[in-house]
Amino acid sequence: MTRSRIAAAVAAACMMPAAYAVDPFVIKDIRVEGVQRTEPGTVFSYLPFRIGDSYSDDKGAAAIRALYGAGFYRDVRLEVEGETLVVTVEERPAISSINFSGAKEFEADKLKQALRDIGIAEARTFDRGQLDRAEQELKRLYLSRGKYGVNISTTVTPQERNRVAINFTIDEGEIATIKQIHIVGAQAFSESDLLKEIQLTTPGWFTWFSKRDQYSKQKLTADLETLKSFYLNRGYLEFNVESTQVSITPDKRDIYITVSITEGQKYKVSDVKLAGDLLDKRDELEKALLIKPGETFNGQVLNDSIKKINEIMGNYGYAFSNANASPDIDREKSTVAFTIIVDPGRRVYVRRVNIAGNARTRDEVVRRESRQLEGGYFDGERVRQSRDRIDRLGFFEEVKVDSPAVAGAPDLLDVNYTVKERATGTLNVGAGFSSTDKLVLTASISQNNLFGTGNSLSFEVNTSKVNRTFAISQTNPYFTVDGISQGFDIYTRTYNPSSLNLGDYKVRSTGLGTRFGFPVSDFNTIVFGVNAENTDITVGSASPSRYKQYVDLFGNSSSGATTSIAWINDTRDSGLAPTRGRYGRTSFEVTLPVLDLRYYRASAQQQWFKPLSDSFTLALNGQVDYGKGFGGKPLPLFKYYYAGGIGTVRGFEPGSLTTQRDSNGYSLGGASRIFGNAEFLFPLPGTKDRTVRLFTFLDGGNTFPEGESPSFSNLRFSTGFGISWLSPVGPLKLSLGRPLNAKPDDRKQLFQFQLGTGF
């Protein structure tokens, strides 16, 4: 055999003249030529033969098909030199870079990701046949933003080492906006009323931000479903969208949309009954029927009824139950009767409870909140309850749960909790210097999920001459496996206004305490605590009279030991951004007769969250506090309550509200306090991100001295708006408040913020 005998084309097409055919022979060696970026081993991996095998035209054809199919090579040749087979390849170039010129609507990373999804990316093999597909994919992105006049041209520049650079030149053109939306066939409702129900609209004051005047097929489909729901919820059972027509002007600037509908007639419900396998749960299932005879048909109410039926069946282990409503329409009487057929399916059990997304938080921290047990039958209510308990931990931005069936096992499923972790630590550090206060250092650090264990630990240090604080607090929510929590607090706080000539007195309190929480149900906890505290008050000749009176009664140093009990009820769906549920706390604290002080304090708080829609939430909060001394002694000054600022009544300076003040106009606090808040929360326009929410509020409250009963006439009210943000350093709330009935001596404060928890 000679070197130039060529077998490649013969094997590839199987149609070459017989003179080019190769007689079968045993391969003594295989040599690869032409590789630059790929390894020779890559070529060998696609060959259907090895050294020592017999070579034939059929095997040669299979080798060429395999190498072409790999996608790495644009030319492949097989040559024979004696008993050596030479494989010569010409590699496709690699993409060295992808660049975009003229792109303003999208970031380059967004465009590259879209191309990567269709197989075009840097370092991948270049295939010129993919360029048309790449341009179409980029155009699809721009069309989704209403840019129908976009033009894209592509330049491919060869580079050294068999590489190419791809540049997409993009002329985005103008945004096409909706010029007109016309609904044909509406009789029961005016076209203007129907247009208010849908998202797509013509240009207006805020459409530059919401983009509602930009057409997309997905938006129109969603709006047609909205129209359908609007009619179905008002009795029009046979409503139908007959056709939709979308046209664009030749200059690709204006879009016209025409929707043709048929309303049908309005129906009332004549009867509702259950059928199928009810598993002896008829009474319970009938209570779930929200749709009632005699009422106008409402599609949403019917769907809610079916959903509740499936939820009830799911609570008994029938996770895949199916309830369907069969209508019996009487057009002459304009009535419809429904038979809801229930098919519970097979009772299913939970194979595994899986946790995902918790890179830092330990599995056991999440798993111990789950009320659905492995091996037990599926309980939908317990799964939903578990999701809420995990969310109330406050460690996660998002908690999702799904229950996929186990392949090949019709009576098994898994319960998967997928979480998205958030930063649970807060660090604040500050420093300052003044001629009077000298060096001031402030620092606080708290971690609500210490090392992923679910424990919380916080330190606080403040070295200011006026306010000095050293405090440590720790809580273990699962001190025992039964869920008994344990915590302790150690602190020393000094208030010394005399150092800056603000007052001739000093108050220093040092204490320590411990507490235990006992869960009595999934939603209720009783907390017992014991605390010991010593307070030293130093007064001078110019001290306020109330501090002198206190020292005369108790002396410069007084101590107290208290025991406390609190009941907490929490059914909120989230500890950070709740949208539904309640939170209640009632507590009572009283001194023990072993030390100097004699007083008690009681507090009651109630929060209520109600979702008004998928995006809007109404939140209400109310709190009443009361303290009183006994045994012939008054309530200590340092146990008074204060109001004003975020957490009580916004629009007033923190701690400034009271019905009595000292000679300098400062609040003396009160032995009792009452305040309430109402908030209407909603997401930023155009988003559904629950970590950032806007709100409007109405606050009211005040404090009252010992012996004075709270009265409505003495309450202060304020209103305003703000924003709450689950920031990386903790929950942040900003508000702008305006007092509604401020008195001349009240101290107002327009802008306020709070970093940390609070209503």
Side-chain angles (χ1 to χ4, degrees):
M1 300 228 177
T2 62
R3 175 182 175 86
S4 60
R5 291 195 308 174
I6 301 174
V10 179
C14 298
M15 296 179 62
M16 300 297 291
Y20 292 95
V22 176
D23 295 331
F25 66 94
V26 176
I27 303 172
K28 294 295 182 65
D29 191 19
I30 300 176
R31 190 169 72 247
V32 176
E33 295 181 354
V35 293
Q36 298 181 44
R37 293 180 296 101
T38 58
E39 297 292 331
T42 303
V43 177
F44 282 111
S45 67
Y46 285 95
L47 297 178
F49 42 73
R50 297 290 183 268
I51 295 175
D53 292 347
S54 175
Y55 176 81
S56 65
D57 290 341
D58 290 340
K59 289 184 178 181
I64 290 178
R65 285 195 297 269
L67 289 170
Y68 271 118
F72 302 139
Y73 314 106
R74 58 185 177 187
D75 190 24
V76 179
R77 300 190 305 277
L78 298 183
E79 298 179 348
V80 176
E81 293 182 357
E83 295 178 329
T84 298
L85 184 65
V86 181
V87 183
T88 303
V89 297
E90 183 180 346
E91 293 178 326
R92 293 183 186 275
I95 300 174
S96 62
S97 63
I98 299 176
N99 300 298
F100 305 93
S101 302
K104 299 177 182 178
E105 186 71 18
F106 296 97
E107 297 288 340
D109 290 344
K110 173 73 172 178
L111 298 177
K112 287 184 178 181
Q113 181 60 50
L115 296 180
R116 189 178 296 111
D117 292 341
I118 63 172
I120 301 176
E122 294 172 353
R124 291 188 180 180
T125 301
F126 172 68
D127 184 352
R128 186 172 293 275
Q130 290 182 310
L131 290 182
D132 287 341
R133 187 180 176 191
E135 291 180 5
Q136 293 303 317
E137 179 64 20
L138 294 178
K139 286 183 178 180
R140 185 190 65 79
L141 282 178
Y142 278 93
L143 292 179
S144 69
R145 294 286 179 89
K147 298 216 168 186
Y148 291 86
V150 62
N151 286 310
I152 300 174
S153 59
T154 309
T155 303
V156 179
T157 305
Q159 295 184 325
E160 59 182 5
R161 292 183 288 121
N162 197 26
R163 299 180 303 155
V164 296
I166 304 176
N167 184 74
F168 295 95
T169 302
I170 302 174
D171 180 7
E172 295 184 337
E174 298 292 332
I175 296 178
T177 57
I178 299 173
K179 187 70 173 179
Q180 183 185 72
I181 303 176
H182 187 39
I183 300 177
V184 179
Q187 298 178 355
F189 304 96
S190 67
E191 184 180 48
S192 60
D193 288 338
L194 296 178
L195 292 177
K196 292 177 182 178
E197 296 295 322
I198 64 178
Q199 290 297 309
L200 290 178
T201 185
T202 53
W205 285 102
F206 297 103
T207 52
W208 63 270
F209 177 77
S210 66
K211 313 295 184 185
R212 290 176 55 193
D213 60 345
Q214 297 179 14
Y215 167 80
S216 75
K217 185 177 180 180
Q218 294 79 6
K219 290 181 181 179
L220 179 58
T221 300
D223 280 345
L224 294 180
E225 287 299 318
T226 300
L227 275 180
K228 183 177 180 180
S229 297
F230 177 84
Y231 272 92
L232 288 177
N233 294 345
R234 288 157 179 81
Y236 294 87
L237 179 61
E238 297 176 307
F239 170 83
N240 186 46
V241 176
E242 297 294 339
S243 64
T244 58
Q245 181 179 348
V246 180
S247 58
I248 187 169
T249 55
D251 62 1
K252 298 182 179 180
R253 298 284 299 274
D254 298 325
I255 293 176
Y256 293 80
I257 302 174
T258 301
V259 180
S260 178
I261 64 173
T262 300
E263 292 180 332
Q265 56 181 312
K266 189 175 182 179
Y267 289 92
K268 285 192 174 184
V269 179
S270 60
D271 189 24
V272 182
K273 58 184 178 181
L274 295 172
D277 187 358
L278 305 183
L279 301 174
D280 296 326
K281 309 292 181 187
R282 178 177 291 276
D283 292 342
E284 186 175 358
L285 295 176
E286 286 182 344
K287 292 179 181 178
L289 294 176
L290 305 177
I291 186 169
K292 305 294 183 183
E295 297 178 351
T296 299
F297 167 71
N298 187 308
Q300 184 61 50
V301 174
L302 176 62
N303 290 335
D304 289 344
S305 299
I306 293 174
K307 181 180 178 181
K308 282 185 173 292
I309 289 173
N310 286 326
E311 287 179 353
I312 291 173
M313 302 304 286
N315 295 343
Y316 293 100
Y318 298 90
F320 304 120
S321 68
N322 187 23
N324 290 303
S326 175
D328 182 11
I329 299 175
D330 187 337
R331 292 182 176 85
E332 292 184 1
K333 297 181 179 179
S334 297
T335 60
V336 57
F338 288 99
T339 300
I340 300 179
I341 304 171
V342 181
D343 178 14
R346 187 191 297 265
R347 195 178 200 185
V348 294
Y349 297 82
V350 176
R351 181 184 66 168
R352 294 192 187 97
V353 174
N354 301 311
I355 314 296
N358 54 322
R360 185 175 40 134
T361 305
R362 298 178 184 177
D363 265 17
E364 64 175 312
V365 174
V366 182
R367 192 175 295 277
R368 66 195 183 191
E369 302 299 329
S370 176
R371 294 302 180 258
Q372 174 64 66
L373 301 179
E374 293 179 341
Y377 70 79
F378 176 84
D379 188 330
E381 179 60 30
R382 288 188 175 274
V383 171
R384 289 187 292 272
Q385 188 183 115
S386 301
R387 193 217 70 87
D388 290 348
R389 288 180 63 89
I390 295 171
D391 206 350
R392 282 200 295 269
L393 291 173
F395 304 158
F396 311 109
E397 288 184 14
E398 187 177 55
V399 180
K400 294 182 178 179
V401 59
D402 65 308
S403 306
V406 176
D411 60 344
L412 291 178
L413 54 72
D414 292 334
V415 175
N416 301 326
Y417 299 105
T418 303
V419 300
K420 182 180 179 182
E421 289 187 313
R422 60 176 295 272
T424 55
T426 302
L427 173 64
N428 293 317
V429 178
F433 183 85
S434 68
S435 58
T436 56
D437 219 16
K438 304 303 180 184
L439 181 64
V440 177
L441 298 175
T442 61
S444 67
I445 182 172
S446 64
Q447 175 55 260
N448 293 331
N449 187 15
L450 187 65
F451 306 124
T453 63
N455 298 345
S456 65
L457 180 66
S458 65
F459 298 90
E460 181 183 357
V461 177
N462 187 328
T463 66
S464 165
K465 281 190 174 181
V466 175
N467 290 288
R468 289 178 178 266
T469 302
F470 300 92
I472 302 175
S473 180
Q474 185 269 344
T475 301
N476 181 354
Y478 276 82
F479 182 65
T480 70
V481 295
D482 297 325
I484 296 176
S485 64
Q486 182 272 334
F488 70 83
D489 305 279
I490 302 174
Y491 60 89
T492 176
R493 299 186 178 95
T494 303
Y495 179 63
N496 185 16
S498 61
S499 62
L500 296 182
N501 297 319
L502 298 176
D504 188 17
Y505 65 96
K506 181 172 74 172
V507 180
R508 178 180 181 180
S509 298
T510 302
L512 59 89
T514 186
R515 47 197 150 73
F516 292 88
F518 298 85
V520 295
S521 72
D522 286 328
F523 304 108
N524 296 277
T525 303
I526 296 178
V527 181
F528 296 95
V530 178
N531 189 79
E533 182 179 85
N534 175 262
T535 301
D536 295 320
I537 298 181
T538 304
V539 296
S541 58
S543 298
S545 58
R546 62 175 183 156
Y547 285 94
K548 291 181 178 180
Q549 293 171 0
Y550 184 85
V551 170
D552 291 341
L553 182 62
F554 292 98
N556 293 97
S557 180
S558 58
S559 300
T562 62
T563 181
S564 62
I565 182 173
W567 169 71
I568 301 172
N569 173 262
D570 193 353
T571 63
R572 298 172 298 172
D573 61 341
S574 171
L576 293 174
T579 59
R580 58 179 172 83
R582 297 173 182 267
Y583 174 84
R585 180 185 178 92
T586 303
S587 62
F588 182 77
E589 172 190 13
V590 63
T591 55
L592 299 172
V594 293
L595 296 175
D596 306 332
L597 301 180
R598 298 288 185 273
Y599 69 90
Y600 65 85
R601 300 202 305 173
S603 178
Q605 180 187 21
Q606 188 66 234
Q607 294 181 356
W608 182 71
F609 300 89
K610 174 68 175 179
L612 303 180
S613 69
D614 291 339
S615 302
F616 299 94
T617 301
L618 175 64
L620 302 177
N621 175 66
Q623 184 167 332
V624 177
D625 304 294
Y626 180 78
K628 185 176 179 61
F630 62 88
K633 297 181 179 181
L635 181 69
L637 297 172
F638 43 85
K639 296 300 179 182
Y640 274 26
Y641 299 103
Y642 292 86
I646 287 184
T648 53
V649 185
R650 286 159 283 199
F652 296 91
E653 284 188 6
S656 67
L657 284 181
T658 186
T659 59
Q660 63 171 357
R661 301 182 182 276
D662 62 17
S663 58
N664 296 318
Y666 292 102
S667 169
L668 297 178
S672 61
R673 176 178 64 177
I674 183 171
F675 66 89
N677 319 95
E679 287 186 356
F680 178 67
L681 301 104
F682 51 95
L684 288 172
T687 72
K688 290 188 177 181
D689 185 3
R690 71 170 188 166
T691 64
V692 182
R693 296 192 293 179
L694 303 176
F695 63 86
T696 60
F697 67 85
L698 175 66
D699 294 346
N702 210 335
T703 62
F704 304 89
E706 193 166 3
E708 180 180 335
S709 300
S711 62
F712 183 83
S713 61
N714 283 328
L715 297 181
R716 301 291 189 271
F717 294 93
S718 66
T719 188
F721 62 92
I723 182 172
S724 61
W725 175 35
L726 299 182
S727 72
V729 295
L732 177 66
K733 181 173 283 190
L734 308 175
S735 72
L736 292 174
R738 178 179 179 274
L740 297 176
N741 61 337
K743 303 299 181 182
D745 54 351
D746 286 337
R747 297 177 180 270
K748 306 173 186 177
Q749 192 174 70
L750 175 66
F751 174 76
Q752 295 173 330
F753 76 93
Q754 179 188 56
L755 182 63
T757 58
F759 187 83

